[in-house]
Amino acid sequence: MLAVFKERIEKGEAAVSPKGVNILNFDGSQMISSPRSIEACRAEGIVPSQLMPTSTDDIHYTPNFRSKRKLQAEKTRQANINRCIKRFHELCAAAEKAIANGGNNDIDKALHQRENHQRQKYQKTRQVKERMLENMINDQLRTQQARAAALEKVAEKEALIQKKKAAREAKLESESARKMKLAEERRQIVQQELRRAFEENQQRFAERTAAVAASQERLLAQRNSEMLARKEAAARRKDELNQKRESCLADQRARVEHLLEKRQLVEKQLQ
């Protein structure tokens, strides 16, 4: 758009002064050739070539210094142009005054008419430029407003997304905390159950150990009592056997003695 606008301005300015370039339609592309504009430049002590844009593209300067130097040169050039424009208007006013006072110089009249015509065209061109610039500024403002509105919407969307993300993260954190709490409670319950089972197992083991020890003691006592009973029974049997043997020996002794007595009686009878 800026390139098209510049091209239109250049075309409009070229149409203002088909016979030459004056200070009013000067755009820096051509040297000033209007006599009264040259006279205004001389009156200000400025050479028309000084009003042309100067190049500052020097390899010996840094880019930052070149931009500053170019900006300073452009400010100086614009100040010189404004001085020449002011002097040009003063010369035109002086010429109008001279013509109004009865000047008969046909050349001055022709120059005055030409410059007056050029000023009118310059005013029209300036008004067109101002309207175009105003339209451009309005378009840029509308574009910036639309861009700002779009950026605001994007920011609102991003804020909403961030809010949803924060809510989702908070929900996830709360859910994670709840799950961790449940897991901790379950772990504690499992630990309590395991501790209770361990204690019950220890108690059962102690009970079983005590029962086994008691049974072992009972078995040992029973075995001891049985051994004592067997010893007593063996002693009784031994005594009974001894008694039987003694009774047998006594019977045998009695029979032997009886037989000896019978023998003695028989021997006595035989004698």
Side-chain angles (χ1 to χ4, degrees):
M1 181 180 287
L2 292 174
V4 175
F5 179 71
K6 186 176 180 181
E7 185 178 358
R8 289 179 180 177
I9 291 174
E10 290 176 354
K11 289 181 180 179
E13 288 177 351
V16 171
S17 180
K19 296 181 181 180
V21 179
N22 62 5
I23 193 64
L24 298 178
N25 61 8
F26 176 70
D27 59 356
S29 61
Q30 296 179 3
M31 188 73 71
I32 292 174
S33 60
S34 173
R36 188 160 293 175
S37 298
I38 295 172
E39 184 179 357
C41 292
R42 289 176 180 175
E44 291 294 327
I46 297 172
V47 180
S49 61
Q50 293 179 352
L51 301 179
M52 298 295 291
T54 57
S55 176
T56 59
D57 297 333
D58 195 339
I59 61 173
H60 298 291
Y61 298 119
T62 60
N64 190 14
F65 183 78
R66 282 202 300 269
S67 62
K68 290 182 180 179
R69 187 164 175 264
K70 186 175 182 180
L71 182 62
Q72 184 65 32
E74 184 63 23
K75 287 182 179 179
T76 304
R77 191 176 76 88
Q78 292 296 330
N80 292 334
I81 290 173
N82 291 330
R83 285 169 54 196
C84 293
I85 289 173
K86 184 178 180 181
R87 178 67 67 173
F88 177 80
H89 286 304
E90 290 177 357
L91 292 175
C92 289
E96 288 178 359
K97 187 175 181 180
I99 291 170
N101 290 332
N104 295 322
N105 193 345
D106 294 336
I107 296 174
D108 290 338
K109 289 181 181 180
L111 288 173
H112 176 69
Q113 290 177 358
R114 179 182 174 186
E115 297 295 341
N116 192 16
H117 179 68
Q118 288 180 351
R119 276 190 295 173
Q120 291 177 358
K121 287 186 176 182
Y122 171 74
Q123 293 294 334
K124 291 180 180 179
T125 305
R126 185 175 180 180
Q127 291 176 0
V128 171
K129 291 178 183 179
E130 290 177 353
R131 285 196 298 271
M132 292 178 71
L133 285 172
E134 185 177 0
N135 292 330
M136 280 184 62
I137 292 170
N138 292 330
D139 291 339
Q140 290 180 356
L141 287 174
R142 284 193 294 270
T143 303
Q144 290 178 357
Q145 290 175 357
R147 187 177 297 172
L151 290 174
E152 187 176 358
K153 289 182 179 179
V154 170
E156 289 178 356
K157 288 182 179 179
E158 289 181 354
L160 183 61
I161 291 170
Q162 292 294 331
K163 186 176 179 180
K164 289 181 178 179
K165 184 178 180 180
R168 186 166 58 251
E169 288 178 354
K171 185 178 180 181
L172 289 173
E173 288 180 358
S174 62
E175 186 69 19
S176 178
R178 188 180 65 83
K179 289 181 178 179
M180 289 178 67
K181 185 177 179 181
L182 289 174
E184 183 66 20
E185 290 177 354
R186 290 177 182 175
R187 188 179 65 81
Q188 291 179 359
I189 291 170
V190 170
Q191 285 183 351
Q192 290 176 0
E193 291 178 353
L194 290 173
R195 192 179 296 110
R196 192 182 300 112
F198 179 73
E199 291 175 355
E200 290 176 355
N201 289 331
Q202 282 186 339
Q203 186 177 0
R204 285 197 295 270
F205 179 75
E207 290 175 356
R208 289 178 183 176
T209 304
V212 169
S215 63
Q216 287 180 354
E217 289 178 357
R218 285 195 300 272
L219 289 173
L220 184 60
Q222 185 178 359
R223 288 177 182 176
N224 290 332
S225 62
E226 288 178 356
M227 288 178 68
L228 289 173
R230 288 176 183 176
K231 286 180 179 180
E232 291 176 356
R236 284 195 301 272
R237 284 196 299 271
K238 186 176 181 180
D239 293 338
E240 290 176 356
L241 289 173
N242 289 331
Q243 290 176 2
K244 287 180 180 180
R245 187 176 59 185
E246 288 178 357
S247 62
C248 289
L249 289 174
D251 292 338
Q252 289 178 0
R253 194 178 298 112
R255 282 196 297 270
V256 169
E257 290 177 354
H258 180 68
L259 290 173
L260 289 171
E261 290 177 356
K262 283 183 177 183
R263 183 179 179 182
Q264 288 177 359
L265 289 174
V266 171
E267 287 180 351
K268 286 178 180 182
Q269 290 175 4
L270 290 174
Q271 291 178 356

mmCIF file of all heavy atoms in Angstrom, residues 36 91-114 116:
data_model
loop_
_atom_site.group_PDB
_atom_site.id
_atom_site.type_symbol
_atom_site.label_atom_id
_atom_site.label_comp_id
_atom_site.label_asym_id
_atom_site.label_seq_id
_atom_site.Cartn_x
_atom_site.Cartn_y
_atom_site.Cartn_z
ATOM 1 N N ARG A 36 11.788 31.004 -9.836
ATOM 2 C CA ARG A 36 11.521 31.634 -8.558
ATOM 3 C C ARG A 36 11.974 30.726 -7.404
ATOM 4 O O ARG A 36 12.441 31.218 -6.372
ATOM 5 C CB ARG A 36 10.030 31.943 -8.425
ATOM 6 C CG ARG A 36 9.705 32.774 -7.202
ATOM 7 C CD ARG A 36 8.382 33.450 -7.330
ATOM 8 N NE ARG A 36 8.407 34.460 -8.381
ATOM 9 C CZ ARG A 36 7.347 35.155 -8.783
ATOM 10 N NH1 ARG A 36 6.173 34.925 -8.234
ATOM 11 N NH2 ARG A 36 7.442 36.062 -9.737
ATOM 12 N N LEU A 91 8.546 35.657 -1.832
ATOM 13 C CA LEU A 91 8.772 36.185 -3.184
ATOM 14 C C LEU A 91 7.479 36.254 -3.976
ATOM 15 O O LEU A 91 7.220 37.221 -4.709
ATOM 16 C CB LEU A 91 9.798 35.322 -3.914
ATOM 17 C CG LEU A 91 11.246 35.377 -3.379
ATOM 18 C CD1 LEU A 91 12.122 34.371 -4.119
ATOM 19 C CD2 LEU A 91 11.825 36.775 -3.520
ATOM 20 N N CYS A 92 6.631 35.207 -3.805
ATOM 21 C CA CYS A 92 5.331 35.232 -4.513
ATOM 22 C C CYS A 92 4.457 36.369 -4.002
ATOM 23 O O CYS A 92 3.778 37.062 -4.781
ATOM 24 C CB CYS A 92 4.626 33.898 -4.312
ATOM 25 S SG CYS A 92 5.397 32.531 -5.197
ATOM 26 N N ALA A 93 4.473 36.590 -2.691
ATOM 27 C CA ALA A 93 3.681 37.685 -2.130
ATOM 28 C C ALA A 93 4.202 39.031 -2.619
ATOM 29 O O ALA A 93 3.415 39.954 -2.935
ATOM 30 C CB ALA A 93 3.731 37.627 -0.606
ATOM 31 N N ALA A 94 5.540 39.170 -2.704
ATOM 32 C CA ALA A 94 6.116 40.416 -3.209
ATOM 33 C C ALA A 94 5.732 40.643 -4.661
ATOM 34 O O ALA A 94 5.420 41.772 -5.084
ATOM 35 C CB ALA A 94 7.642 40.372 -3.046
ATOM 36 N N ALA A 95 5.732 39.558 -5.455
ATOM 37 C CA ALA A 95 5.345 39.685 -6.865
ATOM 38 C C ALA A 95 3.885 40.075 -6.981
ATOM 39 O O ALA A 95 3.515 40.914 -7.809
ATOM 40 C CB ALA A 95 5.623 38.369 -7.589
ATOM 41 N N GLU A 96 3.008 39.469 -6.168
ATOM 42 C CA GLU A 96 1.581 39.833 -6.193
ATOM 43 C C GLU A 96 1.393 41.297 -5.803
ATOM 44 O O GLU A 96 0.582 42.018 -6.381
ATOM 45 C CB GLU A 96 0.819 38.930 -5.230
ATOM 46 C CG GLU A 96 0.678 37.507 -5.723
ATOM 47 C CD GLU A 96 -0.042 36.636 -4.702
ATOM 48 O OE1 GLU A 96 -0.398 37.150 -3.625
ATOM 49 O OE2 GLU A 96 -0.236 35.426 -4.992
ATOM 50 N N LYS A 97 2.174 41.734 -4.818
ATOM 51 C CA LYS A 97 2.070 43.131 -4.386
ATOM 52 C C LYS A 97 2.528 44.074 -5.487
ATOM 53 O O LYS A 97 1.916 45.134 -5.730
ATOM 54 C CB LYS A 97 2.909 43.326 -3.135
ATOM 55 C CG LYS A 97 2.740 44.693 -2.509
ATOM 56 C CD LYS A 97 3.526 44.756 -1.205
ATOM 57 C CE LYS A 97 3.338 46.144 -0.565
ATOM 58 N NZ LYS A 97 4.096 46.256 0.708
ATOM 59 N N ALA A 98 3.620 43.677 -6.164
ATOM 60 C CA ALA A 98 4.119 44.513 -7.257
ATOM 61 C C ALA A 98 3.105 44.596 -8.387
ATOM 62 O O ALA A 98 2.887 45.664 -8.973
ATOM 63 C CB ALA A 98 5.450 43.962 -7.769
ATOM 64 N N ILE A 99 2.474 43.463 -8.712
ATOM 65 C CA ILE A 99 1.460 43.469 -9.778
ATOM 66 C C ILE A 99 0.267 44.301 -9.351
ATOM 67 O O ILE A 99 -0.318 45.056 -10.126
ATOM 68 C CB ILE A 99 1.054 42.033 -10.116
ATOM 69 C CG1 ILE A 99 2.231 41.311 -10.796
ATOM 70 C CG2 ILE A 99 -0.163 42.001 -11.036
ATOM 71 C CD1 ILE A 99 2.014 39.832 -10.952
ATOM 72 N N ALA A 100 -0.118 44.159 -8.072
ATOM 73 C CA ALA A 100 -1.261 44.946 -7.580
ATOM 74 C C ALA A 100 -0.960 46.429 -7.581
ATOM 75 O O ALA A 100 -1.864 47.260 -7.759
ATOM 76 C CB ALA A 100 -1.608 44.490 -6.168
ATOM 77 N N ASN A 101 0.316 46.831 -7.449
ATOM 78 C CA ASN A 101 0.696 48.245 -7.448
ATOM 79 C C ASN A 101 0.868 48.801 -8.851
ATOM 80 O O ASN A 101 1.315 49.940 -9.017
ATOM 81 C CB ASN A 101 2.000 48.443 -6.673
ATOM 82 C CG ASN A 101 1.789 48.215 -5.191
ATOM 83 O OD1 ASN A 101 0.684 48.428 -4.675
ATOM 84 N ND2 ASN A 101 2.849 47.778 -4.495
ATOM 85 N N GLY A 102 0.561 47.994 -9.861
ATOM 86 C CA GLY A 102 0.596 48.498 -11.232
ATOM 87 C C GLY A 102 1.812 48.120 -12.001
ATOM 88 O O GLY A 102 2.195 48.816 -12.949
ATOM 89 N N GLY A 103 2.461 47.068 -11.635
ATOM 90 C CA GLY A 103 3.619 46.618 -12.374
ATOM 91 C C GLY A 103 3.241 46.199 -13.785
ATOM 92 O O GLY A 103 2.192 45.577 -14.000
ATOM 93 N N ASN A 104 4.032 46.565 -14.786
ATOM 94 C CA ASN A 104 3.727 46.250 -16.193
ATOM 95 C C ASN A 104 4.658 45.219 -16.766
ATOM 96 O O ASN A 104 4.733 45.054 -17.978
ATOM 97 C CB ASN A 104 3.819 47.546 -17.026
ATOM 98 C CG ASN A 104 2.736 48.544 -16.614
ATOM 99 O OD1 ASN A 104 1.602 48.131 -16.311
ATOM 100 N ND2 ASN A 104 3.101 49.840 -16.594
ATOM 101 N N ASN A 105 5.368 44.551 -15.916
ATOM 102 C CA ASN A 105 6.311 43.566 -16.432
ATOM 103 C C ASN A 105 5.542 42.319 -16.808
ATOM 104 O O ASN A 105 4.969 41.640 -15.948
ATOM 105 C CB ASN A 105 7.372 43.246 -15.378
ATOM 106 C CG ASN A 105 8.534 42.478 -15.978
ATOM 107 O OD1 ASN A 105 8.440 41.943 -17.081
ATOM 108 N ND2 ASN A 105 9.631 42.429 -15.229
ATOM 109 N N ASP A 106 5.474 42.034 -18.108
ATOM 110 C CA ASP A 106 4.715 40.858 -18.573
ATOM 111 C C ASP A 106 5.346 39.556 -18.100
ATOM 112 O O ASP A 106 4.636 38.579 -17.820
ATOM 113 C CB ASP A 106 4.648 40.873 -20.111
ATOM 114 C CG ASP A 106 3.829 42.049 -20.629
ATOM 115 O OD1 ASP A 106 2.968 42.543 -19.842
ATOM 116 O OD2 ASP A 106 4.049 42.460 -21.780
ATOM 117 N N ILE A 107 6.672 39.577 -17.995
ATOM 118 C CA ILE A 107 7.347 38.340 -17.543
ATOM 119 C C ILE A 107 6.982 38.048 -16.107
ATOM 120 O O ILE A 107 6.680 36.922 -15.731
ATOM 121 C CB ILE A 107 8.871 38.475 -17.724
ATOM 122 C CG1 ILE A 107 9.212 38.622 -19.210
ATOM 123 C CG2 ILE A 107 9.593 37.275 -17.124
ATOM 124 C CD1 ILE A 107 10.670 38.901 -19.480
ATOM 125 N N ASP A 108 6.968 39.146 -15.284
ATOM 126 C CA ASP A 108 6.587 38.943 -13.885
ATOM 127 C C ASP A 108 5.157 38.470 -13.769
ATOM 128 O O ASP A 108 4.830 37.623 -12.930
ATOM 129 C CB ASP A 108 6.769 40.247 -13.108
ATOM 130 C CG ASP A 108 8.242 40.597 -12.932
ATOM 131 O OD1 ASP A 108 9.079 39.656 -13.032
ATOM 132 O OD2 ASP A 108 8.555 41.764 -12.690
ATOM 133 N N LYS A 109 4.284 39.048 -14.608
ATOM 134 C CA LYS A 109 2.883 38.612 -14.567
ATOM 135 C C LYS A 109 2.753 37.146 -14.947
ATOM 136 O O LYS A 109 2.023 36.364 -14.311
ATOM 137 C CB LYS A 109 2.038 39.470 -15.513
ATOM 138 C CG LYS A 109 1.839 40.884 -15.029
ATOM 139 C CD LYS A 109 0.964 41.667 -16.015
ATOM 140 C CE LYS A 109 0.762 43.118 -15.550
ATOM 141 N NZ LYS A 109 -0.077 43.886 -16.501
ATOM 142 N N ALA A 110 3.489 36.750 -15.995
ATOM 143 C CA ALA A 110 3.417 35.350 -16.446
ATOM 144 C C ALA A 110 3.970 34.413 -15.364
ATOM 145 O O ALA A 110 3.383 33.357 -15.076
ATOM 146 C CB ALA A 110 4.190 35.173 -17.748
ATOM 147 N N LEU A 111 5.101 34.849 -14.779
ATOM 148 C CA LEU A 111 5.660 34.029 -13.711
ATOM 149 C C LEU A 111 4.718 33.946 -12.516
ATOM 150 O O LEU A 111 4.537 32.887 -11.912
ATOM 151 C CB LEU A 111 7.012 34.594 -13.257
ATOM 152 C CG LEU A 111 8.180 34.417 -14.228
ATOM 153 C CD1 LEU A 111 9.401 35.180 -13.730
ATOM 154 C CD2 LEU A 111 8.518 32.936 -14.399
ATOM 155 N N HIS A 112 4.089 35.105 -12.232
ATOM 156 C CA HIS A 112 3.163 35.098 -11.100
ATOM 157 C C HIS A 112 1.972 34.182 -11.365
ATOM 158 O O HIS A 112 1.546 33.424 -10.489
ATOM 159 C CB HIS A 112 2.702 36.532 -10.839
ATOM 160 C CG HIS A 112 1.665 36.610 -9.755
ATOM 161 N ND1 HIS A 112 1.963 36.349 -8.432
ATOM 162 C CD2 HIS A 112 0.327 36.884 -9.815
ATOM 163 C CE1 HIS A 112 0.857 36.474 -7.715
ATOM 164 N NE2 HIS A 112 -0.148 36.807 -8.538
ATOM 165 N N GLN A 113 1.410 34.296 -12.590
ATOM 166 C CA GLN A 113 0.282 33.416 -12.928
ATOM 167 C C GLN A 113 0.706 31.935 -12.872
ATOM 168 O O GLN A 113 -0.030 31.076 -12.367
ATOM 169 C CB GLN A 113 -0.253 33.769 -14.320
ATOM 170 C CG GLN A 113 -0.960 35.104 -14.379
ATOM 171 C CD GLN A 113 -1.406 35.466 -15.785
ATOM 172 O OE1 GLN A 113 -1.151 34.709 -16.741
ATOM 173 N NE2 GLN A 113 -2.046 36.624 -15.930
ATOM 174 N N ARG A 114 1.904 31.698 -13.411
ATOM 175 C CA ARG A 114 2.387 30.299 -13.407
ATOM 176 C C ARG A 114 2.582 29.791 -11.983
ATOM 177 O O ARG A 114 2.128 28.695 -11.631
ATOM 178 C CB ARG A 114 3.699 30.212 -14.189
ATOM 179 C CG ARG A 114 4.307 28.826 -14.223
ATOM 180 C CD ARG A 114 5.616 28.864 -14.980
ATOM 181 N NE ARG A 114 6.291 27.590 -14.898
ATOM 182 C CZ ARG A 114 7.512 27.384 -15.384
ATOM 183 N NH1 ARG A 114 8.172 28.374 -15.987
ATOM 184 N NH2 ARG A 114 8.066 26.195 -15.270
ATOM 185 N N ASN A 116 1.202 31.017 -9.282
ATOM 186 C CA ASN A 116 -0.108 30.930 -8.630
ATOM 187 C C ASN A 116 -0.827 29.651 -9.022
ATOM 188 O O ASN A 116 -1.431 28.952 -8.184
ATOM 189 C CB ASN A 116 -0.943 32.153 -8.994
ATOM 190 C CG ASN A 116 -2.180 32.274 -8.130
ATOM 191 O OD1 ASN A 116 -2.265 31.627 -7.084
ATOM 192 N ND2 ASN A 116 -3.120 33.103 -8.552
#
